[in-house]
Amino acid sequence: FTRSRFGACLASLVLFAAFVSPLAAAPTAGAACAPVVVAASPLRLVSYESSAQSAANWLRLQQLADGSFELADFPGFETPDAILALAEAAQTTSTWSTAEARAGVESASNCGSTALDWIDNFAEAGLEAGDAARMVIFVAAPLGLSSTAFDPGNDGNPINLKTTMANAKSGGSYGTFGGTLWVATALRLLGDPVAPETDAFIRAGQHADGSWDYTGDLSTETPSDINTTALAMIALVAAGADRDDAALRNALWYLASQQQSDGGFREAFNGDEVTNPNATALAILAITAAGWDPDDDLWRAAGLTGYAPVVNAAYVSLRDALRASQTGDGNYASPYDIYGLNTFATTGGIHGMLANWIGESFALPNETVTTTTTTIPVVNLPVGATPEVESGELANTGGEIFPLGLLG
């Protein structure tokens, strides 16, 4: 599924960069230039948004002389996510602006090169279907660039991302399971239908507990993980699943069963119970895509017992878990930082804090839900606490949150 890992502990990180090509040039080390730092966009939400803006300021300082953010020196691993993170942080209203997105990315440069210059060269070196889909999701669609004549650096050598994806289709698959998830999401952003056989291919990989693993093949007995489960949920919504879809509801149950007491999520390969910002951010995106607000407990109740909200259960927002991982420098700390600092946890954290790209693009609408009084099981309750549901109607208001961290 992945080209390489930073040892076994980095296995789950590559879900956002699982389809990168080894042909792109390595980052320029030790260059005399320095990243260009610009003022942050006006804040809309003082708490979560200010956290994301602080993270974006840190991210800008990590830009390399070739315009990339490839601190881990695995070409394609970090820069697409960094592009989307800068675009998300540049938004000034609740309506997505491709002009603001592009301006936010182009305002960050080093030695005269922007991330768009680097991603142009990376794409021209050759892309697999999953790579091409990620270019659509993280670069072309949010910045308003062409997907059939993709030329972000304007060097006159466009490539057709749609053709690259289409040529890889075999039955319901686009190569790897992860690549298929990316392509399904990209097709939705392009306004193209997801084929029924692709929808069926994704659904066939779901475990009995509502989860998915990165192989998408139940016969391998591979452990489930939050990242793949979240990406599969997003892909199903992209394919047309609604709020009542059984696969989505079962996946919500799985996420509820895995949420840590601090509100976050760990990854299958952490080897411990440490909350990981990448997994947490992806869970935020998946919950948002499925039509729920990660800042309240309605999504957990939806997965466990239907739409009945828990009104007196202790609940910590996923974004509070992200904010708790933020350092004084602005980056979001990851359990994998012991192997060397990279930008992936921070770009994922920005995605999770803002959630303004996938949420604006095709997330299911939040709706008012009717409830009846009952008692339901919910994980991570304080000792002696009894979750109860009050009768009446409660609106799942769905505040602006996020990201994308979609994927690596």
Side-chain angles (χ1 to χ4, degrees), residues 9 266-274 336:
C9 291
R266 62 180 293 274
E267 288 180 335
F269 306 100
N270 277 9
D272 52 36
E273 298 301 313
V274 177
Y336 298 116

Side-chain angles (χ1 to χ4, degrees), residues 241-334:
D242 61 24
R243 284 163 59 96
D244 290 319
D245 185 271
L248 282 183
R249 295 281 289 271
N250 289 338
L252 285 172
W253 181 90
Y254 173 74
L255 291 183
S257 72
Q258 298 299 309
Q259 190 175 22
Q260 303 296 297
S261 59
D262 65 356
F265 290 84
R266 62 180 293 274
E267 288 180 335
F269 306 100
N270 277 9
D272 52 36
E273 298 301 313
V274 177
T275 285
N276 188 290
N278 299 317
T280 303
L282 270 174
I284 289 174
L285 292 180
I287 295 166
T288 301
W292 299 96
D293 184 353
D295 288 337
D296 65 44
D297 208 16
L298 294 175
W299 69 268
R300 295 202 306 184
L304 290 166
T305 62
Y307 294 135
V310 177
V311 295
N312 71 342
Y315 179 73
V316 180
S317 168
L318 284 71
R319 295 197 298 172
D320 285 332
L322 278 180
R323 187 165 52 180
S325 72
Q326 192 164 29
T327 73
D329 292 331
N331 63 299
Y332 298 102
S334 165

Side-chain angles (χ1 to χ4, degrees), residues 79-81 83-84 87 96-99 101-102 105 116 119-120 123 127 131-153 159-162 165 186 189-190 357 361:
T79 303
D81 272 281
I83 289 173
L84 181 57
W96 185 268
S97 166
T98 57
R102 180 149 191 170
V105 175
L116 295 180
I119 209 70
D120 190 301
L127 299 172
D131 285 310
R134 293 177 67 240
M135 294 303 108
V136 171
I137 297 166
F138 292 104
V139 187
L143 272 60
L145 305 178
S146 172
S147 294
T148 55
F150 185 64
D151 188 19
I159 62 174
N160 193 324
L161 300 175
K162 292 184 69 171
M165 293 188 293
L189 292 173
L190 294 173
W357 171 232
S361 301

Side-chain angles (χ1 to χ4, degrees), residues 60-137:
R60 290 174 178 275
L61 295 175
Q62 313 311 308
Q63 191 170 29
L64 301 177
D66 60 0
S68 78
F69 292 83
E70 304 295 324
L71 302 190
D73 201 11
F74 280 74
F77 184 75
E78 299 168 82
T79 303
D81 272 281
I83 289 173
L84 181 57
L86 292 173
E88 290 162 343
Q91 301 301 306
T92 60
T93 70
S94 59
T95 301
W96 185 268
S97 166
T98 57
E100 289 183 342
R102 180 149 191 170
V105 175
E106 292 179 333
S107 68
S109 65
N110 196 348
C111 287
S113 295
T114 72
L116 295 180
D117 296 318
W118 187 91
I119 209 70
D120 190 301
N121 294 331
F122 174 76
E124 290 173 1
L127 299 172
E128 300 293 333
D131 285 310
R134 293 177 67 240
M135 294 303 108
V136 171
I137 297 166

Side-chain angles (χ1 to χ4, degrees), residues 198-218:
T198 296
D199 181 75
F201 176 73
I202 295 170
R203 291 175 183 276
Q206 188 173 31
H207 291 251
D209 64 358
S211 67
W212 280 265
D213 68 74
Y214 73 85
T215 70
D217 184 353
L218 298 181

